[in-house]
Amino acid sequence: MTLLDASPAQLGQDRMVAEREGLAIRTELGDMADLARFADASFDLVFHPCSNCFVPDVRPVWREAARVLRPGGALLAGFGDPVVFSIDDPPPAAGAEPGKPRRLELRHAIPYSDLTSLSDAERAGHTDKGEPLCFGHTLEHQIGGQLEAGLVLVGFYDDVHVAGEPLNQLLPGFHATRALKPRA
């Protein structure tokens, strides 16, 4: 099993869990949009959890995943619904009734980028805490990008964003796809 991540800290966590569970893994520090270190058709499965929000353009990620998959191989991918990135959920006002739904604010355009959508102070609040900047992608890039990469979508699933958030009462905030690389 090979794990690739842009974060040395995350790879350290992966190694710690693998050692604890007795799993043999190989860790690679790198960019998910550049898998040049891996040969064409070298994996049966690419598992891509909700990490698209850390790249400004997701389409190269799908192209690289398709390239490294063997014919008949599967891509399992999760991603946030674009609407989640367009809505702000402000904190409750002082004296607000506990448990009373807050008014959600439609604030950002999609595609979304912390680089252009947040104020300097808001961006600094993220980076000062060591949090990565985020990007929200259109469904055309999320799903259409997999299709453009030559994959065949065979499954689509919904899930909630974060349990208890007001947005979950309105729509599922996460989606997952199962896509296959066609056999020659």
Side-chain angles (χ1 to χ4, degrees):
M1 179 186 309
T2 302
L3 293 108
L4 177 117
D5 203 289
S7 165
Q10 180 61 52
L11 291 173
Q13 289 288 60
D14 295 336
R15 285 188 292 275
M16 186 266 309
V17 170
E19 185 176 312
R20 182 188 72 208
E21 300 299 323
L23 302 171
I25 65 168
R26 178 175 115 195
T27 58
E28 296 275 343
L29 182 65
D31 179 348
M32 68 181 120
D34 177 10
L35 304 180
R37 69 185 75 193
F38 304 117
D40 292 357
S42 54
F43 293 95
D44 292 316
L45 173 68
V46 172
F47 178 70
H48 183 82
C50 296
S51 50
N52 289 347
C53 62
F54 303 122
V55 295
D57 185 358
V58 71
R59 292 167 297 179
V61 174
W62 300 140
R63 287 191 296 269
E64 283 292 274
R67 183 187 64 76
V68 301
L69 276 172
R70 290 185 181 106
L75 167 68
L76 304 178
F79 53 90
D81 188 292
V83 173
V84 170
F85 292 93
S86 66
I87 295 176
D88 271 351
D89 181 10
E97 244 181 85
K100 183 175 181 184
R102 298 188 297 272
R103 183 177 287 295
L104 301 175
E105 297 175 8
L106 188 58
R107 181 173 172 201
H108 307 288
I110 301 300
Y112 170 86
S113 169
D114 279 351
L115 297 172
T116 57
S117 296
L118 297 181
S119 69
D120 291 342
E122 289 170 317
R123 259 191 322 281
H126 284 288
T127 55
D128 290 350
K129 293 186 258 178
E131 296 175 0
L133 296 176
C134 288
F135 304 88
H137 308 286
T138 64
L139 290 176
E140 180 178 356
H141 289 174
Q142 294 284 25
I143 297 169
Q146 293 179 45
L147 300 173
E148 288 169 10
L151 300 170
V152 176
L153 200 63
V154 295
F156 186 84
Y157 315 93
D158 291 331
D159 199 0
V160 296
H161 183 242
V162 176
E165 283 192 359
L167 187 57
N168 289 329
Q169 298 168 9
L170 303 173
L171 61 96
F174 279 120
H175 306 291
T177 57
R178 181 170 184 262
L180 300 178
K181 182 172 183 173
R183 297 185 189 277

